Amino acid sequence: IGVLTHKRNVYVDTSGYLAEQLPELFVKSIRGRLQDKALFGTDYPYVDLEKALASFDKADFKQPAKDKILFANAQEEKTRFVHKGLFRSDATLCFGSLLKEKTSMIYGQGNIEYYVADNVSMRGESFFSVGKGNLVLEYNHSIFTGALFHFKTKNHFDPYTGLLYGISIAKAAGIPVECFTTPCPPLPNGSKEISPLISVPLGFNFYFQRFFHLFAEARYVSGKYISDYPGTISLSEIRFSFGLGWNLNLKKKEEQK
């Protein structure tokens, strides 16, 4: 009973006994606080199925608990790792491609995420440009925050999508595409601008271990770098990242009930 109470992935069944033969403490526990952790069983052919069902039906169980033990607990997706109270984080390199400017970026990416419900999480993240930039942007740092929706699965695989809002802190480094064919005045030194962004991620986490997971994500980022310089620089971008993250259960599944 102690193991059942503290280990959310451990369950018990009634195999080998008729209901009237079960220990009183055991019956009291699965009738009450452990009714979500018990399964009906017979150990057939040593215990006859019909006889065991008739015995269990006569036992002093309320109907909701009886339904859980007979079939509902076995039907639930108990093996799903993702649940409310899960905290995850990661840090990795992210590769980006500016679609209209036809150039690439590399970022150091980090995020933290908390599951406020079994299928909804809140995320905060940052991207820091690394390397020497390119002919269009010297750097393009950004931060985002928003909500993610997680598709329900029957295992440790966690696909998701979402909508994130953020800002870009970027500095122009060269000539925008608009000026490749049309003469433009020299770009002002230190042309650093803060621009609004919106991002739609699509990815998955795979929780292969209690404290670690693998992840992969592709995202579309939309925005514009606007300054006094003639024309604008499109910040529309596809970014891709993958790697190893860590996770921690801040709230046990039993505490949510």
Side-chain angles (χ1 to χ4, degrees), residues 147-183:
L148 300 177
F149 176 80
H150 300 260
F151 301 97
K152 199 170 184 180
T153 65
K154 296 182 179 181
N155 47 46
H156 292 200
F157 183 66
D158 176 33
Y160 63 84
T161 187
L163 185 62
L164 305 173
Y165 297 93
I167 59 171
S168 163
I169 304 173
K171 181 179 179 181
I175 301 176
V177 171
E178 291 91 338
C179 299
F180 284 175
T181 56
T182 302

Side-chain angles (χ1 to χ4, degrees), residues 2-257:
V3 174
L4 288 174
T5 302
H6 298 290
K7 303 298 181 181
R8 66 186 185 91
N9 62 334
V10 176
Y11 303 88
V12 69
D13 65 47
T14 63
S15 297
Y17 297 90
L18 298 177
E20 59 267 22
Q21 297 173 328
L22 293 170
E24 183 179 349
L25 179 60
F26 178 83
V27 173
K28 183 178 179 180
S29 298
I30 65 173
R31 184 189 294 143
R33 59 178 181 155
L34 295 180
Q35 60 185 261
D36 295 318
K37 306 294 292 292
L39 304 169
F40 174 79
T42 64
D43 200 17
Y44 182 85
Y46 301 104
V47 177
D48 182 72
L49 175 58
E50 292 186 4
K51 188 175 181 180
L53 281 171
S55 173
F56 187 81
D57 192 54
K58 293 177 182 178
D60 186 22
F61 286 89
K62 292 183 179 180
Q63 194 61 45
K66 186 179 293 186
D67 290 344
K68 288 180 181 179
I69 296 170
L70 283 175
F71 59 86
N73 288 342
Q75 293 175 339
E76 288 186 6
E77 295 169 356
K78 292 291 187 178
T79 59
R80 188 169 186 251
F81 185 88
V82 177
H83 62 273
K84 179 181 178 181
L86 180 66
F87 174 85
R88 64 165 296 277
S89 182
D90 65 65
T92 189
L93 287 177
C94 175
F95 304 91
S97 176
L98 292 165
L99 300 177
K100 293 186 178 179
E101 308 301 338
K102 298 180 180 179
T103 189
S104 60
M105 301 288 294
I106 300 177
Y107 306 94
Q109 173 191 354
N111 69 53
I112 57 173
E113 186 175 342
Y114 181 74
Y115 289 69
V116 296
D118 286 350
N119 62 341
V120 177
S121 65
M122 301 300 297
R123 179 192 285 189
E125 61 188 351
S126 62
F127 294 81
F128 187 85
S129 296
V130 296
K132 297 181 179 180
N134 51 56
L135 294 177
V136 179
L137 293 173
E138 183 176 328
Y139 58 75
N140 180 28
H141 311 318
S142 56
I143 57 175
F144 293 92
T145 186
L148 300 177
F149 176 80
H150 300 260
F151 301 97
K152 199 170 184 180
T153 65
K154 296 182 179 181
N155 47 46
H156 292 200
F157 183 66
D158 176 33
Y160 63 84
T161 187
L163 185 62
L164 305 173
Y165 297 93
I167 59 171
S168 163
I169 304 173
K171 181 179 179 181
I175 301 176
V177 171
E178 291 91 338
C179 299
F180 284 175
T181 56
T182 302
C184 294
L187 194 64
N189 292 329
S191 184
K192 179 173 64 176
E193 301 293 337
I194 298 177
S195 309
L197 298 175
I198 188 170
S199 178
V200 179
L202 180 65
F204 70 86
N205 302 306
F206 181 71
Y207 295 90
F208 67 93
Q209 207 267 353
R210 183 178 179 184
F211 296 112
F212 297 98
H213 62 275
L214 297 173
F215 69 91
E217 179 182 277
R219 66 167 61 205
Y220 173 72
V221 178
S222 179
K224 288 184 179 181
Y225 172 96
I226 302 175
S227 69
D228 294 334
Y229 190 72
T232 61
I233 298 175
S234 173
L235 300 178
S236 294
E237 185 178 12
I238 295 293
R239 296 181 183 179
F240 179 73
S241 60
F242 60 93
L244 178 70
W246 66 275
N247 46 270
L248 184 65
N249 288 317
L250 300 182
K251 196 172 187 180
K252 291 184 179 180
K253 212 163 187 180
E254 289 84 354
E255 294 176 359
Q256 302 172 31
K257 298 177 180 178

